[in-house]
Amino acid sequence: PSNGAERLGRAGKAMIKSLMLVGFQTGGVIFERYYGEELRTVEQQAQWLLQVRNATAPEMSLLVRDGPEQVAAFGEVTILYKLIQDVVLFLAGTDEHDALLLLEFARAFEACVRKGCGLGQATGKNRTSAEKKLLNNYATLCLIVDEMLDDGVVDHIDPNIVLRLVRMQPTT
């Protein structure tokens, strides 16, 4: 593909282990996808979520506004996490893929979600929460993830292509 996904590669195992969106204030999981044989059961996923939360908890206070991404690690896993309005994106990948590749994916994902789910840019106190908008646009969110990831392997990272595919418009 000519969309940049070839640089992110297809390793023998899943590059992206999980993608989760969690309410910053509530801590409730809004969206979650897990990839790899070791994350197939509900018990494995619950343990994984606990590991991700434990690895990122010490620096969670750094997420005070949209923007700066944070990186944590445990074992062979790199976790990139960032605040998108009132939602935290947790993106975990295997150690053979560095944080810069996760960062490229996360920024493309954020651009798609902001446009596709109507989040826009955070402004003012009286904005509708991102959590509510994501829940109201859950089908679009699922389509965005499905177009960007194929069983944990990055498929598309160009937000324009992803959004055209989500809207079922032909790409040029």
Side-chain angles (χ1 to χ4, degrees), residues 2 11 16 19 23 26 41 43 50 61 66 82 87 121:
S2 62
I16 304 293
L19 185 154
T26 65
T41 69
E43 293 81 16
L50 182 62
S61 63
D66 283 8
K82 71 173 288 155
V87 173
Q121 295 298 319

Side-chain angles (χ1 to χ4, degrees), residues 5 24 51 64 67 112 144 147 154 162-163:
F24 184 66
Q51 288 177 308
V64 294
C112 290
I144 288 170
E147 291 299 339
V154 175
V162 171
L163 291 172

Side-chain angles (χ1 to χ4, degrees), residues 1-37:
S2 62
N3 59 22
E6 70 275 2
R7 290 185 297 116
L8 300 178
R10 284 191 178 264
K13 46 188 171 172
M15 183 201 122
I16 304 293
K17 304 280 292 170
S18 65
L19 185 154
M20 297 177 284
L21 295 167
V22 177
F24 184 66
Q25 298 296 326
T26 65
V29 176
I30 300 164
F31 180 88
E32 57 190 344
R33 285 281 169 88
Y34 302 95
Y35 304 99
E37 288 300 317

Side-chain angles (χ1 to χ4, degrees), residues 130-150:
E131 187 172 348
K132 183 174 181 180
K133 285 185 178 182
L134 289 171
L135 291 171
N136 288 341
N137 292 284
Y138 197 81
T140 301
L141 176 61
C142 291
L143 289 170
I144 288 170
V145 172
D146 288 345
E147 291 299 339
M148 294 186 78
L149 292 173
D150 181 10

Side-chain angles (χ1 to χ4, degrees), residues 27-93:
V29 176
I30 300 164
F31 180 88
E32 57 190 344
R33 285 281 169 88
Y34 302 95
Y35 304 99
E37 288 300 317
E38 66 279 6
L39 296 174
R40 293 288 182 209
T41 69
V42 172
E43 293 81 16
Q44 292 167 326
Q45 293 168 3
Q47 181 62 32
W48 179 260
L49 179 59
L50 182 62
Q51 288 177 308
V52 168
R53 287 187 173 182
N54 288 341
T56 58
E59 305 299 328
M60 195 58 73
S61 63
L62 297 174
L63 299 179
V64 294
R65 60 178 169 68
D66 283 8
E69 296 84 1
Q70 301 299 319
V71 177
F74 68 89
E76 299 179 352
V77 176
T78 301
I79 305 164
L80 183 139
Y81 56 109
K82 71 173 288 155
L83 188 63
I84 304 172
Q85 293 181 15
D86 62 346
V87 173
V88 181
L89 166 65
F90 291 96
L91 187 62

